[in-house]
Amino acid sequence: MFDYSGRSVFVAGGTSGINLGVAQAFAAAGANVFVISRSPEKVAAAVEQLQASGAKAAGMSADVRDAEALKVAISTAHGTFGDIDVLVSGAAGNFPARANDISSNGFRAVLEIDLLGTHHVMTAAWPVLRRPGASVINISAPQAMVAMTGQAHVCAAKAGVDMMTRTLALEWGPEGVRVNSVIPGPIDGTEGMRRLAPTPQALDAIRHSVPLKRIGTPANVANLCLFLGSDFASYVSGAVVPVDGGWVLNMQGTVLDPVLDHIAASRR
Ligand code: NAP
Ligand code: COA
């Protein structure tokens, strides 16, 4: 349906979970895909998987908290596949804990990965992205839209990501570069869901609160990314788009309380 032949896609945090699903979808549509994350083993495994599917893929280890490392990664990707057509920024960290139980360093870790990291990814890529038709997709989260107990750090970071999406859409729009955010709902088999829903009961509670009554898949998120990166979305910029079965319409502020109680009980 989408043809990305010869196009270059860079996925920050593209070595597992949702972002790997996004990388796979772009690869299957013909794109040359470059992935980064901290773990060299995860990078090697993801690249091998992408190449095994017949795609041109490469990657390297880099921490999005390190602006200089990001510049090196972007330059390597540029040397490998040329100018970037679609930039996906999805590296993130999360752990459920009430604000009173998060140290300064814990709060900083999440802000630095999710929010500062997204700034690093976008600004490092700008020189090889700045031309009409290129676009950015930031992977946000429902926590940017709805308060959730145990998620003060993530709510703050992802809300910041979405405001950066809107601001950069203003700043980069005149050069023809579109900037959008995607808000995945609860997605099956991911690290994020393992952390936020560590028990079958917690997962069931989330499933019941999704209007479509099911947990999503990485492919659901990837399909939206394929659209947003394509010319079909050529007039879509500054948008924050949920792909969540309607979950954000029906989320409760206390959704994580049983999980927090479970974690506290297992520590006793
Ligand atoms: P995941 O598999 O843990 O994905 C996170 C990715 O980011 C991994 O590739 C990880 O690899 C990388 N990463 C983490 N810290 C990094 C750093 N400092 N520098 C570079 N890379 C880093 O988790 P996921 O659940 O699929 O989440 C993917 C994205 O979707 C995140 O942005 C998350 O907020 C968002 N999201 C997830 C859900 C869900 O249901 N899972 C719902 C809404 C939004 P390394 O460990 O090798 O660094
Ligand atoms: N509750 C409270 N604080 C926690 C915590 C938890 N469950 N897990 C980590 N922290 C705190 C640590 O105690 C530390 O603070 P301190 O130095 O004051 O003790 C701080 O967070 C940083 O932890 P550290 O393990 O050194 O950070 P890191 O940079 O190695 O890892 C994380 C970052 C903590 C976000 C880690 O969970 C991670 O790498 N996550 C990536 C994968 C992920 O979260 N996937 C889901 C995406 S939605």
Side-chain angles (χ1 to χ4, degrees):
M1 190 172 171
F2 294 99
D3 184 5
Y4 279 90
S5 303
R7 298 231 186 158
S8 163
V9 177
F10 184 101
V11 187
T15 63
S16 60
I18 293 173
N19 304 322
L20 177 57
V22 171
Q24 284 166 333
F26 277 109
N32 304 326
V33 179
F34 196 95
V35 293
I36 65 150
S37 79
R38 292 166 303 176
S39 156
E41 293 78 20
K42 283 178 70 173
V43 171
V47 169
E48 196 180 326
Q49 208 176 315
L50 290 163
Q51 287 175 341
S53 71
K56 280 195 199 156
M60 68 181 286
S61 162
D63 191 322
V64 295
R65 291 172 281 195
D66 181 344
E68 290 310 309
L70 248 299
K71 286 182 192 159
V72 173
I74 292 286
S75 152
T76 307
H78 185 247
T80 311
F81 294 134
D83 285 350
I84 293 173
D85 295 293
V86 181
L87 178 74
V88 180
S89 177
N94 192 2
F95 51 81
R98 290 192 173 89
N100 286 339
D101 298 324
I102 305 177
S103 68
S104 173
N105 198 34
F107 207 92
R108 183 185 302 114
V110 170
L111 280 182
E112 283 192 348
I113 301 168
D114 294 26
L115 183 51
L116 192 60
T118 299
H119 176 264
H120 289 159
V121 171
M122 291 177 76
T123 53
W126 176 239
V128 298
L129 184 75
R130 58 180 303 182
R131 67 192 183 287
S135 78
V136 179
I137 301 168
N138 290 324
I139 307 296
S140 181
Q143 291 90 325
M145 303 176 91
V146 185
M148 205 189 268
T149 55
Q151 291 286 274
H153 46 344
V154 176
C155 291
K158 292 292 195 178
V161 167
D162 288 349
M163 284 313 293
M164 205 154 61
T165 288
R166 296 179 175 110
T167 308
L168 274 280
L170 282 178
E171 293 185 6
W172 291 1
E175 303 227 22
V177 178
R178 299 179 297 105
V179 186
N180 294 294
S181 275
V182 162
I183 303 230
I187 302 300
D188 199 24
T190 59
E191 184 59 26
M193 281 308 284
R194 277 188 283 279
R195 292 179 182 217
L196 296 192
T199 64
Q201 293 83 347
L203 192 59
D204 267 352
I206 289 179
R207 185 181 292 107
H208 285 306
S209 65
V210 175
L212 287 182
K213 302 295 174 199
R214 72 170 175 87
I215 304 294
T217 64
N220 292 148
V221 181
N223 287 339
L224 176 58
C225 293
L226 287 174
F227 166 70
L228 286 176
S230 77
D231 292 342
F232 289 101
S234 64
Y235 204 49
V236 181
S237 194
V240 175
V241 190
V243 47
D244 68 343
W247 194 36
V248 294
L249 302 175
N250 200 31
M251 286 168 72
Q252 305 296 316
T254 55
V255 73
L256 282 191
D257 277 2
V259 169
L260 295 163
D261 293 343
H262 170 81
I263 290 170
S266 59
R267 281 210 182 118
R268 264 182 226 131

